[in-house]
Structure formats: structure tokens, C-alpha cells
Amino acid sequence: MKYLLLKHYRGGPAHFVDYGSMDQWTPEEVDAHIQYMRDFAARLEETGEYVGEQALAPEGTFVRYDGEGRPPVTDGPFAETKDLIAGWMIIDVESWDRAVELAGELSAAPGPRGEPIHEWLEVRPFLTEPPTVTE
């Protein structure tokens, strides 16, 4: 099964230090974090569990349709919500438990002072077939 791991800019649990965004880290701390991500992806490539990944810029805008002949409506960005997506990774694993295990490991990526940042990751399974509609 394929799962999407979404990395959120939310900080860690309340009892851990909020390490802030990477633009507040030293270049060495950013490099260590990125290398952890690369090493993690390389390990998953070896096991056949890696599909793809991409970091995302913090800027973004919500867009929606507003009716025939009208321009799309935009709203955002929402930096104040602290619930922006930092990036994503797609994995292909045997079970939900394995997906959760890998997300937990990815959450331990280092931040300032080399400490695990306890980053929140959202684990979302891919739809394998359209939902069934019952009347």
C-alpha cells in the first residue's frame, strides 16, 4: 500500500522545544537535517519502500472555483496558523503499522543542536478504489 507522509510546520509536542522553522537554524543544522532525510530515503530505496519526496516552500495560497466566467478565489498564505506543510514523502509498504513506524523514525530528524525535532507527520493512505456509494 502507498502512503503519503506530510511533514507539518507545527512544532513538536508541548513538552518538547519548538525549534522553529529552518530559516532560524544554522547552516550546519540545516545540512544535518537534509542529510538525515537523504539517508532515510536511500535506506527506503534499498528496501523498495521509497516512491518519492519533495520539500515545499512555506509560501502558498488556497484557491477555489468561484463560478462560470469568474476568476478563481484565492486566500492566504496562512503563516499564522502554523499548520503549513513543509514537504512530503510517498512510501510503498506492506502495512499501516510499517507506515506509522517509518513516520515515527522520520519525525526524529535532527534540528538545532542535533536534537530530534519530534516533527508531526500526517500519514495518509492512497485510495486504491473509488468509494462505494450506497443508497
Side-chain angles (χ1 to χ4, degrees), residues 4-99:
L4 177 65
L5 306 180
L6 293 171
K7 297 169 58 65
H8 287 267
Y9 284 117
R10 292 179 63 187
H15 60 284
F16 290 102
V17 176
D18 181 1
Y19 292 111
S21 60
M22 290 175 79
D23 62 350
Q24 299 170 8
W25 301 1
T26 68
E28 295 79 17
E29 292 165 342
V30 171
D31 289 345
H33 182 84
I34 291 171
Q35 189 60 51
Y36 182 96
M37 301 291 295
R38 287 182 179 141
D39 293 345
F40 184 83
R43 205 176 80 246
L44 294 184
E45 279 185 290
E46 291 174 10
T47 63
E49 296 173 308
Y50 177 83
V51 176
E53 69 178 313
Q54 185 64 54
L56 300 173
E59 302 81 27
T61 300
F62 283 97
V63 178
R64 71 169 171 81
Y65 175 74
D66 197 38
E68 191 64 39
R70 299 169 75 174
V73 175
T74 61
D75 197 7
F78 296 102
E80 68 279 0
T81 68
K82 295 187 178 184
D83 198 18
L84 301 172
I85 297 173
W88 55 267
M89 179 178 283
I90 297 173
I91 57 175
D92 191 353
V93 295
E94 292 295 319
S95 67
W96 169 257
D97 290 342
R98 178 66 174 152

